[in-house]
Amino acid sequence: MKNITESQFYGPNLGYVLELYERYREDPDSVDDSARSFFENWSPPEPGANGRTGTAVAPSDVGMDVDKVIGAAKYIRSIRDFGHRAAQLDPLGSEPPGDPTLSPGFHDVTEEELETLPSSIINAPGTGPIPRRTRTAREAIDELRRIYCKTTGYDFGHIHDSSERFWLRDAVESERFHKVLEGEDAKNLLNSLTRVDTMEKFLHKTFLGQKRFSVEGTDMVVPMLNLLVRSAADKGTPEAVLGMAHRGRLNVLAHVLDKPYSKIFGEFQQPDSGENASAADRSGDAWVGDVKYHLGIRGFQLGADEADQEILVNLAPNPSHLEHVNPVVEGMARAAQETRDEAGPPEQDEEASLPILIHGDAAFPGEGVVAETLNLYQLPGYRTGGTIHIITNNQLGFTTERDDARSTLYASDLAKGYEIPVIHVNADDPEACLAAARFAYAYREEFRKDFVIDLVGYRRFGHNEGDEPAYTQPSMYEVIRDHPSVREVYARDLEERGIISEDEAKEMVEEIRAQMDEVHKNPDEEIAEEELATDEPHTPLVEVPETAVSEERLTELNKALLERPEGFNPNEKLERLFQKNRGELNGDGGGIDWAHAEALAFASLLEDGVPIRLTGQDTERGTFSQRHSVLHDVETGEAYVPLQNIPQAKASFVSHNSPLSEIAVMGFEYGYTLNAQETLVLWEAQYGDFANVGQPMIDQFIVSGQAKWSQTSGLVMLLPHGYEGQGPEHSSARLERYLQLAAHENVRVANCTTAAQYFHLLRAQAALKDHQRPLIIMTPKSLLRHPLATSKLQELTEGKFMPVLDDEAVRAEGRAESVERIILCSGKFYTELVASEAREEDDATAVVRIELLYPFPEEDVKAVLDGYPNLQEIVWVQEEPQNMGAWTFVEPRLRQLVDDKLPIRYIGKPARPSPAQGSAAFHKREHAAIVRSAFKGAEESEEATEREVERAG
Ligand SMILES: Cc1ncc(C[n+]2csc(CCOP(=O)(O)OP(=O)(O)O)c2C)c(N)n1
């Protein structure tokens, strides 16, 4: 906008300036800098001055009644901001809510008075499309009303950025996205709607009573998606990533992703088997597949204008959990936008993918994951250059009506807090719907921000086709019963406009129906037999890959990690610690600690060409101030990331602090892994407990995505875990939950105890990229710096990850023959056991650690046990209560392993509803009691342990 000066306070500009002033008074930030500084020293014209304005305006030149100009300006502003409240958005014809400010009387002006004002009062001086085509304010306002209050509602009043506001206004008032379709273009749209409608009707008739979650009522979503995808293709965008729920999915599969009808019909004929059923047959009950309306698919589309431009359309599979696919799609889209094959941070090209999310009108305001995902859209670690959201708003959530479903007027209102523009559009106005899609695409191109289209339609049937909606919405369904489909509405419109005859429109339907009949009667055998390639279960990480790194390499990498750029002013204390603890790999400094081993694992992987992405709350520094992957110059605050600057790196490294979210960021990283299979992606919980805020992401995607959808992910979850007297939270990462979810080698679950083990585990995860599985690691807190958890350089330069660690002391002293009891344990409690006095007094007990819990390393455990010829019993000791931790998981496996030839006992806390107690003193006494009971010499029975533990309390 041009700068405001006094010289602009002349006749035609006055309305505009006064409007700006009104805005300034309501919210000084809503006008730009020049206007703000002008208004700070300006007083408005006196009301009733009839042409006389305040000191800054030359009164004689204005020549208009200031009251009327102010009234007109306010009226204009009301139409622009609240016109959507009078728009006819509901195809079923319900009255729009309206708004009192949308009448001239409210602003004290009459139509006649508007007739006397020039049309130029509605815009900035010399700008705006409407003044160019109108003469009086009244004509201009009629135009505004036609545009803002018809079948499209422009909901932009919440956008504060002035450049965006002006762009949006100009785009609306110029109507540059609104094309009145003629000839072939109009027929093509009708054809598209005919396909959508005919397919639903065909499925309805042919597969009576089967669920398909028909799109009928919001049919336009299909042509809108095609328009968006083709626009992206025209721009040379190689991939569009789509996320949507069940509603309309079959139609999108057929008509956006070109899934052949024969395949869709074939699945209806075998209702109990999804696409993966054949894989399930091959591997017993392992690969369970999913229902047809959840499956993902990838297909290609051509551009609209550039017919040789191809785009991959990637529809993510989704669970029934509405909206939870959203962050996954964002992660997939981000991964597709980044190149990672060079050192430094990844390079992002926001044109390289287009994310599109389809939402439900009940789910969008209702499910928290929507807000968490929207919050990602401007964050450097998560932005995807703008997602286009379409709410397929059928005005019902199952049987629940709007008033019970949300506290806002519109289903889309959540988006307003994120400054995302919203268009509401009547789904029965096909050309307006396409205009909304063009608008959204152009906005994304211009501002690289999200955009929401609220596609207001209805639902022809019940929630699914077997439901009777008239039980709960009798009057609504009475209207729907007689309401023509959008195909019929548009066909009639084209008939009236003389573009198509009634017979032609009928023929179109007949032709498509005949085509579907033909495919149904003679299915394409080849397609019917085609199977998805699935990665069948195997035994990953039991055959552990070689992961040692030579001393020479590690020394060089370590040196590079400690280099700082010229002129960088590090925090002195931190730098001293770094140099002291990490300076010498082989020094007397006490060994390599956890975070140091992690940095070395990362550096060596980067040298191997493996890109790394590490995110989580405060992950750059690390919850326990252990990592410091990003250093800050104490004078400039500027960041320096050593892993982005080591000269050996052949791939990108990035670490981002995440927003305070679990489910969305976990989903995002899972999605990222799907489209960046070569990358080691790690998500870290602040404390492991908090991961359960993202439980649906774990249940529905991370552990089951492969079984349901053949979707492989190598996501690493770092979950701080360990009982250190901090109370019910901050103690347990709920190890038991991951073990309960483990089956058919769907995940790897580790609870390792040394820095070297962690080093090898991370490297192994990258090495196993052909057999990707999510890796869940219980990571330490106090063990981060515990002498028993640090490792010698040699442990990194030799050997590999050990699923089971034998008792080193017993082995070194050659005392295996005297061992009668083995304590099996996993994780941090090991250090408490071996550091205890009880251990020193007990020569007959060895302490063995299981470092990989899943897949359970049966052979390794057996080999260790076999090394103790005089073994009398096994005890399992853990710090988690009996109903938690690994006990219930390992017990049956151990019993099977020893074939009931040895007694197996549990020693530890009894079952409890809460993972840990609040008193640190109680915690200490209780742990001491468990340790005493674990070694020989203590009274040996479960009751005795219980008594000990109780006495501790
Ligand atoms: C997280 C979650 N909670 C509950 C459900 C059960 N459910 C399935 S569909 C539905 C209503 C969805 O309404 P809306 O978002 O308007 O989408 P529509 O089905 O009307 O297209 C509900 C509650 C679910 N699938 N997911």
Side-chain angles (χ1 to χ4, degrees):
M1 198 195 83
K2 288 182 203 151
N3 281 355
I4 287 207
T5 60
E6 289 190 13
S7 64
Q8 290 178 318
F9 285 72
Y10 291 94
N13 301 338
L14 181 60
Y16 165 70
V17 174
L18 291 175
E19 188 214 332
L20 263 190
Y21 182 67
E22 280 297 312
R23 276 185 183 229
Y24 162 79
R25 286 205 328 177
E26 274 171 29
D27 174 10
D29 289 336
S30 69
V31 300
D32 69 13
D33 293 346
S34 76
R36 199 164 40 250
S37 60
F38 182 85
F39 288 137
E40 274 158 13
N41 304 311
W42 182 74
S43 54
E46 288 294 316
N50 193 15
R52 292 179 189 283
T53 63
T55 50
V57 180
S60 56
D61 288 346
V62 175
M64 288 186 283
D65 183 332
V66 170
D67 281 348
K68 299 306 165 194
V69 174
I70 291 178
K74 285 183 174 174
Y75 182 31
I76 288 160
R77 183 174 167 196
S78 293
I79 297 171
R80 282 171 169 157
D81 285 354
F82 305 116
H84 55 84
R85 292 176 67 91
Q88 186 56 55
L89 300 176
D90 179 7
L92 302 178
S94 67
E95 259 312 295
D99 197 278
T101 65
L102 294 174
S103 83
F106 184 88
H107 304 282
D108 260 349
V109 278
T110 63
E111 299 280 349
E112 292 71 35
E113 285 161 345
L114 291 173
E115 195 74 63
T116 66
L117 299 174
S119 66
S120 55
I121 69 165
I122 78 163
N123 270 85
T127 66
I130 292 182
R132 273 184 232 123
R133 58 180 193 254
T134 52
R135 206 174 40 79
T136 67
R138 180 180 168 158
E139 284 169 16
I141 286 170
D142 283 350
E143 277 290 273
L144 289 176
R145 288 199 68 106
R146 180 183 62 74
I147 292 171
Y148 283 96
C149 308
K150 205 180 158 208
T151 52
T152 303
Y154 298 98
D155 201 350
F156 302 152
H158 53 285
I159 305 293
H160 289 111
D161 180 83
S162 56
S163 63
E164 270 185 59
R165 274 203 323 268
F166 291 127
W167 186 94
L168 289 165
R169 180 187 289 180
D170 189 69
V172 175
E173 293 174 16
S174 66
E175 297 183 277
R176 63 174 178 268
F177 300 118
H178 203 115
K179 282 193 205 155
V180 178
L181 298 184
E182 303 288 346
E184 283 309 303
D185 290 342
K187 284 187 197 170
N188 284 343
L189 176 54
L190 180 63
N191 191 280
S192 176
L193 285 173
T194 308
R195 284 195 170 275
V196 173
D197 190 48
T198 309
M199 176 172 146
E200 295 291 359
K201 291 197 164 96
F202 182 86
L203 293 176
H204 194 72
K205 211 177 91 205
T206 315
F207 305 104
L208 207 65
Q210 280 202 44
K211 283 186 198 174
R212 70 198 145 89
F213 298 103
S214 104
V215 76
E216 286 155 283
T218 48
D219 312 41
M220 267 309 294
V221 71
V222 173
M224 288 164 81
L225 282 175
N226 279 319
L227 185 145
L228 291 171
V229 166
R230 286 179 192 151
S231 306
D234 284 342
K235 280 272 162 196
T237 297
E239 181 168 348
V241 192
L242 260 63
M244 73 182 297
H246 46 273
R247 170 101 35 232
R249 194 173 178 102
L250 295 177
N251 223 307
V252 168
L253 288 173
H255 298 129
V256 180
L257 288 116
D258 281 341
K259 180 167 174 169
Y261 291 144
S262 64
K263 219 164 158 101
I264 295 175
F265 299 165
E267 285 163 13
F268 269 96
Q269 271 154 338
Q270 304 151 358
D272 294 332
S273 60
E275 285 195 45
N276 294 355
S278 45
D281 292 345
R282 280 202 306 272
S283 7
D285 62 348
W287 258 209
V288 291
D290 201 350
V291 292
K292 50 188 163 290
Y293 42 84
H294 286 169
L295 299 177
I297 184 175
R298 292 150 71 94
F300 285 94
Q301 268 227 17
L302 298 177
D305 300 332
E306 304 287 331
D308 54 345
Q309 286 283 16
E310 209 177 46
I311 182 167
L312 172 68
V313 188
N314 197 345
L315 173 66
N318 70 293
S320 275
H321 289 55
L322 296 167
E323 306 290 343
H324 285 72
V325 77
N326 301 357
V328 178
V329 165
E330 296 299 329
M332 289 166 77
R334 173 73 178 235
Q337 292 177 357
E338 292 192 328
T339 41
R340 294 169 287 268
D341 53 4
E342 281 185 26
E347 288 261 325
Q348 187 181 4
D349 170 8
E350 292 175 347
E351 286 259 9
S353 73
L354 168 68
I356 305 175
L357 290 174
I358 316 289
H359 310 273
D361 56 301
F364 190 82
E367 292 293 338
V369 68
V370 176
E372 284 196 26
T373 308
L374 289 180
N375 187 44
L376 302 180
Y377 92 105
Q378 293 281 50
L379 309 182
Y382 301 87
R383 48 175 299 125
T384 52
T387 299
I388 297 179
H389 304 262
I390 303 178
I391 301 175
T392 48
N393 183 348
N394 53 29
Q395 310 190 52
L396 281 174
F398 212 136
T399 65
T400 301
E401 291 179 27
R402 193 188 100 175
D403 290 352
D404 290 321
R406 59 177 191 259
S407 296
T408 55
L409 173 64
Y410 294 115
S412 53
D413 280 348
L414 175 70
K416 289 186 177 176
Y418 299 91
E419 303 244 344
I420 297 170
V422 179
I423 285 185
H424 313 279
V425 61
N426 185 320
D428 266 4
D429 185 342
E431 294 184 4
C433 292
L434 289 190
R438 277 185 215 105
F439 201 123
Y441 188 81
Y443 175 85
R444 179 192 193 254
E445 285 286 286
E446 186 72 22
F447 297 103
R448 298 267 164 248
K449 282 181 63 193
D450 285 23
F451 196 99
V452 172
I453 301 172
D454 176 20
L455 177 68
V456 186
Y458 57 93
R459 191 185 68 195
R460 177 147 313 270
F461 298 99
H463 169 64
N464 66 57
E465 289 64 33
D467 271 355
E468 173 49 86
Y471 290 156
T472 47
Q473 275 76 35
S475 30
M476 184 183 205
Y477 273 82
E478 217 176 289
V479 179
I480 291 175
R481 205 174 310 124
D482 297 330
H483 191 79
S485 72
V486 62
R487 183 206 71 78
E488 287 171 81
V489 171
Y490 194 54
R492 221 170 289 153
D493 179 28
L494 297 193
E495 282 159 35
E496 279 165 18
R497 281 156 57 189
I499 295 176
I500 194 167
S501 70
E502 200 178 329
D503 284 348
E504 261 179 288
K506 275 193 193 137
E507 265 166 39
M508 220 182 245
V509 176
E510 290 311 320
E511 216 172 277
I512 292 169
R513 191 176 296 147
Q515 199 186 339
M516 289 178 184
D517 262 330
E518 174 62 24
V519 173
H520 180 48
K521 281 191 206 126
N522 301 305
D524 182 337
E525 290 298 327
E526 243 174 75
I527 289 173
E529 279 170 17
E530 189 197 324
E531 281 176 7
L532 271 188
T534 60
D535 181 6
E536 290 186 31
H538 56 285
T539 48
L541 206 56
V542 168
E543 289 150 37
V544 181
E546 298 296 332
T547 47
V549 179
S550 74
E551 179 171 346
E552 196 187 345
R553 263 183 76 188
L554 284 182
T555 309
E556 286 303 312
L557 288 168
N558 196 50
K559 223 170 97 200
L561 284 170
L562 292 172
E563 298 276 312
R564 304 290 175 253
E566 185 99 6
F568 183 78
N569 304 297
N571 176 297
E572 274 180 29
K573 184 172 155 206
L574 183 61
E575 198 60 25
R576 240 191 346 267
L577 281 172
F578 258 126
Q579 299 297 343
K580 176 167 162 266
N581 297 335
R582 300 193 182 181
E584 289 289 327
L585 282 179
N586 233 343
D588 328 319
I592 295 166
D593 71 15
W594 200 272
H596 192 187
E598 179 187 85
L600 292 170
F602 287 165
S604 61
L605 285 171
L606 294 173
E607 188 174 19
D608 294 342
V610 178
I612 297 169
R613 174 179 164 95
L614 167 68
T615 66
Q617 289 155 22
D618 310 292
T619 284
E620 292 179 8
R621 188 202 73 168
T623 301
F624 312 99
S625 200
Q626 80 280 18
R627 178 174 292 121
H628 299 283
S629 60
V630 178
L631 305 174
H632 298 274
D633 186 302
V634 288
E635 275 165 31
T636 64
E638 219 164 281
Y640 173 71
V641 183
L643 283 162
Q644 288 175 346
N645 288 283
I646 53 172
Q648 295 91 335
K650 298 188 193 76
S652 66
F653 172 84
V654 77
S655 135
H656 287 290
N657 285 341
S658 80
L660 212 171
S661 144
E662 280 78 24
I663 192 151
V665 294
M666 209 192 282
F668 188 97
E669 300 310 328
Y670 173 79
Y672 196 99
T673 61
L674 303 176
N675 250 355
Q677 299 264 328
E678 83 297 356
T679 306
L680 185 69
V681 180
L682 306 98
W683 175 76
E684 183 173 62
Q686 183 110 86
Y687 284 88
D689 326 39
F690 301 121
N692 66 8
V693 180
Q695 198 64 40
M697 213 43 84
I698 298 165
D699 294 342
Q700 262 52 48
F701 291 87
I702 295 172
V703 303
S704 60
Q706 184 158 20
K708 294 191 291 189
W709 314 312
S710 303
Q711 194 160 266
T712 55
S713 166
L715 178 67
V716 181
M717 295 174 68
L718 303 176
L719 308 177
H721 173 82
Y723 283 60
E724 290 163 6
Q726 287 178 297
E729 284 75 48
H730 306 108
S731 293
S732 174
R734 303 284 190 175
L735 170 63
E736 62 280 1
R737 208 153 277 166
Y738 298 94
L739 295 175
Q740 189 213 27
L741 294 169
H744 287 283
E745 282 132 24
N746 59 339
V747 288
R748 301 174 181 127
V749 183
N751 192 13
C752 50
T753 52
T754 73
Q757 283 280 81
Y758 181 49
F759 172 88
H760 289 299
L761 188 58
L762 291 175
R763 289 185 49 78
Q765 180 70 356
L768 287 164
K769 66 174 184 304
D770 292 337
H771 299 295
Q772 294 210 331
R773 292 293 183 278
L775 167 63
I776 291 128
I777 314 181
M778 302 292 118
T779 55
K781 295 173 296 179
S782 64
L783 244 56
L784 286 168
R785 299 175 177 93
H786 195 292
L788 279 172
T790 58
S791 300
K792 296 196 176 62
L793 176 62
Q794 197 187 355
E795 294 173 72
L796 276 52
T797 59
E798 290 173 10
K800 53 186 183 178
F801 176 76
M802 301 288 288
V804 178
L805 290 176
D806 202 349
D807 191 321
E808 285 159 29
V810 171
R811 288 276 159 219
E813 292 160 20
R815 293 193 281 110
E817 293 206 352
S818 65
V819 168
E820 292 172 5
R821 175 191 288 179
I822 279 190
I823 295 176
L824 279 180
C825 62
S826 188
K828 182 204 119 238
F829 208 46
Y830 163 80
T831 54
E832 292 183 40
L833 288 163
V834 295
S836 68
E837 275 176 26
R839 150 101 163 172
E840 293 198 352
E841 290 158 10
D842 178 2
D843 275 352
T845 299
V847 184
V848 173
R849 286 165 276 176
I850 300 190
E851 301 267 300
L852 178 73
L853 284 157
Y854 193 84
F856 188 66
E858 212 177 286
E859 294 298 315
D860 304 66
V861 176
K862 196 164 178 324
V864 168
L865 297 183
D866 287 348
Y868 294 94
N870 298 315
L871 198 57
Q872 303 292 314
E873 67 164 342
I874 296 172
V875 294
W876 176 265
V877 179
Q878 66 177 32
E879 56 183 355
E880 302 88 354
Q882 192 168 10
N883 55 328
M884 301 175 194
W887 169 239
T888 52
F889 172 82
V890 293
E891 187 195 3
R893 288 168 174 80
L894 288 176
R895 290 203 191 285
Q896 200 181 22
L897 197 79
V898 300
D899 203 12
D900 286 331
K901 292 199 178 80
L902 281 174
I904 297 172
R905 271 197 305 137
Y906 166 83
I907 293 184
K909 299 163 191 169
R912 285 184 177 146
S914 169
Q917 61 287 93
S919 154
F922 178 91
H923 156 83
K924 237 173 149 180
R925 286 199 301 276
E926 189 175 47
H927 271 219
I930 296 169
V931 170
R932 269 198 307 279
S933 305
F935 285 98
K936 277 184 124 21
E939 210 182 329
E940 283 166 30
S941 73
E942 288 189 26
E943 295 81 57
T945 312
E946 270 172 37
R947 277 201 305 278
E948 267 281 296
V949 168
E950 256 155 42
R951 268 203 301 273

